[in-house]
Amino acid sequence: MDVALTVRSLIQTGAVGILITLLAISLHFLLYLMKVHSSKSKLITSSILAIILLTGKYLNYPVHRILNKFTSLGITHHSIDNAVKALIWLCFATLITSSLNYFVWEDNVNQLQQKSTPKLLVTLINITIHALFIMIIMRTVFNINVSNILAASGVGAFILGWSAKPTLTEFFAGIAIQMGGKLQKNAIISINNDEGILSDFNWRSISITPLTYNGKVLNHEVYIIPNSKLQSQSVRILRKPGEKKIRLEGSFFISPYSDLTICQKIIKNALLEHATEDSICLTLSGDNRGNYTISYTIMVHGLKNKVFFNESFEKSLIHRFIKNSQPIGQTRLPWTIDEKSEQSIMTQCTPEPPAIKNILQLLNRIDIFKALDEEDLASLINQSTTEYFIINEYIFHERVKEDYSLHILLSGKADAYQINNNRNRVKVDDFKMEDYFGLQSFLLDIPHRISVLTKEGAWCLKIPREALSPLLETYPQITESLGRLLAERKDEDDHTLEEYRQHHQVHNEPTSEMFIRKIKALFK
């Protein structure tokens, strides 16, 4: 009979507990509809429920008297009291965990500390707190001796831990990794030269969304790396969550037959096309045989710029080494060549240049050179240089303060870009054969305001000031034409014009006359 009563009491206690829990879930759902989510809604729900239960216990459960008066359920006062006391303890446990989650673990504090709390640690603390309160309920509400349970659980935990040793190894490795705080979700990391976005942590492993060499995100693939393996490997953090800059590293072998000064300058200028000078670090190392290696570290803004760097930098750099007659040593060529051929690498990698006759015809079609006779045009071409640029190679860049020649596109296509405030390239113009550019830098001796990047292989004629200077005395109309041309372009770049006026303290002089005077002074 006592057993039956005990079972009945437990059933009644469970039924009352389930009913009150359903009411709490309804309140939680109502808060969710009011857009009060996560730990905040749990905190509010547990607080309201605790107040209601404590009030009901203080008033000696008026609901019990109402149920006995109008129903025949026969729920005892003792069953309701056990259910309420158990739920009060659970409310306290939920209050503690939700308060920790809301006020300590989550963004309210993390936004100030810039440090996320390990998810595994939070889960472990929450489980421990609830387990402690469950033992309190067993001892104080149901009068169960927990000492025997703890003793038995200790033996069981030893057996379980021994059998699940690999799993526990992953678990504690995960806690150690997350407690370090260096690896964070959405960071871009590199493991054994494999790059990816750290997409998720869990108690056993981490998930990484891979990135290809050129920076493409492979959303349909996921790498799963066990925590224990990750803990024993070298991991490079290329970009932390929320940061715009991505760290890129590399090295370039310098042959002992190369001119080290020229090579360093080529590499530095090539890096300036992708990053600002303060974001570039170059390191030179060598051996007793005269072999050198230049290592670089740069910070680029965003995946888009990283993709462009990986696609263009190495090919462009090798091509410039070849154009400057510098041996490339052990570096692998990005083009196929015939090693048995008697032709040089430069000849094999460069298409046939435009004939002088074709260049003469092209210059005759350009307004500023129409006044020149054939002999003067030929002299101008002889004093100029033709240079070939591969696809995705800069003809000049606004951050590289050199090469203020006048550039004329003899073949191919190119785009003009400017660097915006977010350090991204913004297309502002495009060029085709017969177009010329770099005019302001050529005539006013000021830095380039644009960067010109080839869309395909292109030949370019580079006219230095020294080649044009003697022709200005013979053809004064060229000076006037260039002055008017610069004046017409002033509306396209009022900022550059205003800076020029302030620098040279010229304010009231008409724009075209100011430019003509400057051109004459520069080309004396």
Side-chain angles (χ1 to χ4, degrees):
M1 187 69 177
D2 292 339
V3 175
L5 287 174
T6 303
V7 172
R8 181 183 178 186
S9 175
L10 289 174
I11 292 173
Q12 289 182 352
T13 301
V16 173
I18 291 172
L19 180 62
I20 298 174
T21 302
L22 289 174
L23 293 175
I25 292 173
S26 301
L27 177 60
H28 184 70
F29 182 71
L30 180 63
L31 291 172
Y32 180 83
L33 294 178
M34 297 170 64
K35 297 184 178 180
V36 181
H37 297 167
S38 190
S39 300
K40 188 175 182 180
S41 64
K42 292 179 183 178
L43 181 62
I44 295 173
T45 301
S46 56
S47 300
I48 294 174
L49 186 61
I51 292 171
I52 293 173
L53 293 176
L54 287 170
T55 303
K57 182 173 177 57
Y58 178 77
L59 297 176
N60 200 23
Y61 310 119
V63 175
H64 173 248
R65 294 193 293 271
I66 295 172
L67 289 174
N68 286 340
K69 185 175 181 180
F70 294 100
T71 67
S72 58
L73 295 175
I75 299 176
T76 64
H77 182 278
H78 181 69
S79 298
I80 294 178
D81 187 55
N82 283 345
V84 169
K85 287 191 291 186
L87 287 173
I88 288 174
W89 283 114
L90 288 177
C91 283
F92 288 157
T94 306
L95 273 171
I96 293 172
T97 55
S98 57
S99 297
L100 286 173
N101 290 339
Y102 183 69
F103 292 109
V104 179
W105 310 135
E106 292 184 354
D107 292 340
N108 301 61
V109 175
N110 291 335
Q111 288 177 356
L112 300 176
Q113 296 178 346
Q114 295 295 316
K115 184 177 180 181
S116 61
T117 307
K119 185 178 178 181
L120 282 176
L121 179 62
V122 173
T123 303
L124 186 62
I125 291 175
N126 289 343
I127 291 173
T128 303
I129 291 173
H130 279 91
L132 179 63
F133 274 86
I134 287 173
M135 286 190 289
I136 292 174
I137 291 170
M138 293 169 65
R139 184 70 185 89
T140 60
V141 178
F142 298 103
N143 294 319
I144 298 174
N145 189 353
V146 297
S147 301
N148 296 331
I149 296 176
L150 290 175
S153 64
V155 176
F158 175 78
I159 297 172
L160 181 64
W162 184 260
S163 60
K165 186 178 178 181
T167 302
L168 290 176
T169 301
E170 304 294 350
F171 177 75
F172 287 110
I175 291 180
I177 290 170
Q178 294 191 37
M179 283 291 290
K182 294 180 180 179
L183 291 181
Q184 300 176 21
K185 191 174 180 180
N186 295 324
I188 298 179
I189 63 175
S190 174
I191 305 173
N192 294 333
N193 295 322
D194 292 326
E195 298 179 4
I197 301 174
L198 205 165
S199 55
D200 193 23
F201 282 103
N202 61 43
W203 60 274
R204 186 178 177 84
S205 61
I206 68 168
S207 301
I208 295 177
T209 303
L211 294 173
T212 62
Y213 175 75
N214 60 8
K216 182 180 179 182
V217 181
L218 301 178
N219 290 313
H220 59 283
E221 294 185 18
V222 177
Y223 293 163
I224 307 297
I225 302 177
N227 290 329
S228 59
K229 185 177 180 181
L230 182 70
Q231 192 180 27
S232 61
Q233 289 185 337
S234 175
V235 180
R236 288 191 300 130
I237 300 174
L238 304 180
R239 187 184 71 179
K240 294 181 179 180
E243 288 186 349
K244 294 183 178 180
K245 290 185 177 181
I246 300 177
R247 179 188 179 95
L248 299 177
E249 298 176 347
S251 59
F252 203 82
F253 176 80
I254 306 298
S255 168
Y257 304 102
S258 299
D259 187 318
L260 188 59
T261 303
I262 294 176
C263 292
Q264 286 180 302
K265 183 179 180 181
I266 293 173
I267 294 175
K268 179 69 176 293
N269 287 344
L271 290 172
L272 281 171
E273 296 170 353
H274 299 273
T276 56
E277 190 164 4
D278 59 348
S279 300
I280 298 173
C281 178
L282 290 176
T283 305
L284 178 66
S285 59
D287 57 26
N288 53 10
R289 296 182 180 180
N291 297 312
Y292 289 94
T293 299
I294 296 180
S295 301
Y296 62 83
T297 301
I298 68 169
M299 304 294 289
V300 299
H301 284 255
L303 279 175
K304 184 177 180 181
N305 289 323
K306 178 184 182 297
V307 170
F308 177 68
F309 179 88
N310 288 337
E311 288 179 344
S312 63
F313 174 73
E314 185 176 2
K315 291 182 181 179
S316 174
L317 187 61
I318 293 173
H319 190 240
R320 293 176 192 186
F321 266 69
I322 295 173
K323 287 193 290 186
N324 285 272
S325 303
Q326 299 300 312
I328 56 175
Q330 300 174 359
T331 305
R332 184 178 178 182
L333 282 172
W335 310 284
T336 302
I337 62 169
D338 183 3
E339 296 182 357
K340 297 180 180 179
S341 174
E342 296 181 357
Q343 292 182 325
S344 66
I345 295 177
M346 178 66 179
T347 304
Q348 293 189 56
C349 295
T350 307
E352 192 71 23
I356 299 296
K357 179 182 177 181
N358 295 334
I359 299 176
L360 280 170
Q361 293 174 353
L362 186 145
L363 292 181
N364 269 320
R365 295 194 294 269
I366 298 176
D367 291 339
I368 57 177
F369 299 117
K370 283 183 177 180
L372 275 65
D373 59 31
E374 188 170 330
E375 183 179 348
D376 288 330
L377 279 176
S379 175
L380 181 66
I381 294 171
N382 289 333
Q383 296 180 67
S384 304
T385 57
T386 55
E387 184 175 346
Y388 181 72
F389 296 88
I390 62 173
I391 185 173
N392 280 340
E393 182 178 1
Y394 279 104
I395 296 175
F396 59 75
H397 195 279
E398 58 189 281
R399 281 197 289 256
V400 180
K401 306 295 191 293
E402 60 179 42
D403 191 12
Y404 291 170
S405 303
L406 179 63
H407 295 73
I408 302 175
L409 208 57
L410 302 177
S411 67
K413 297 179 181 179
D415 287 332
Y417 293 92
Q418 285 184 325
I419 308 299
N420 63 11
N421 294 332
N422 295 325
R423 307 290 177 86
N424 291 319
R425 294 179 298 123
V426 178
K427 183 179 175 180
V428 294
D429 205 348
D430 54 68
F431 301 117
K432 59 184 183 303
M433 189 173 66
E434 298 184 19
D435 287 338
Y436 54 91
F437 39 87
L439 189 64
Q440 289 188 11
S441 301
F442 177 69
L443 296 176
L444 303 179
D445 196 29
I446 60 176
H448 296 295
R449 66 181 183 88
I450 60 172
S451 305
V452 179
L453 180 70
T454 58
K455 294 171 63 177
E456 57 188 43
W459 279 98
C460 192
L461 181 68
K462 299 166 67 173
I463 302 177
R465 294 195 187 104
E466 297 77 16
L468 189 63
S469 182
L471 298 176
L472 296 183
E473 297 180 3
T474 308
Y475 301 95
Q477 60 268 39
I478 295 179
T479 305
E480 296 176 2
S481 177
L482 292 173
R484 286 194 300 270
L485 185 60
L486 284 177
E488 290 172 1
R489 292 187 177 183
K490 73 179 181 66
D491 292 333
E492 300 176 11
D493 196 4
D494 287 334
H495 179 68
T496 300
L497 178 62
E498 185 60 30
E499 284 186 348
Y500 180 81
R501 285 185 179 276
Q502 292 179 1
H503 179 72
H504 293 275
Q505 297 182 350
V506 179
H507 299 285
N508 299 322
E509 188 176 9
T511 304
S512 59
E513 294 181 11
M514 176 186 69
F515 285 144
I516 291 171
R517 180 175 54 79
K518 172 62 179 177
I519 293 168
K520 289 180 178 179
L522 188 63
F523 284 83
K524 280 184 178 179

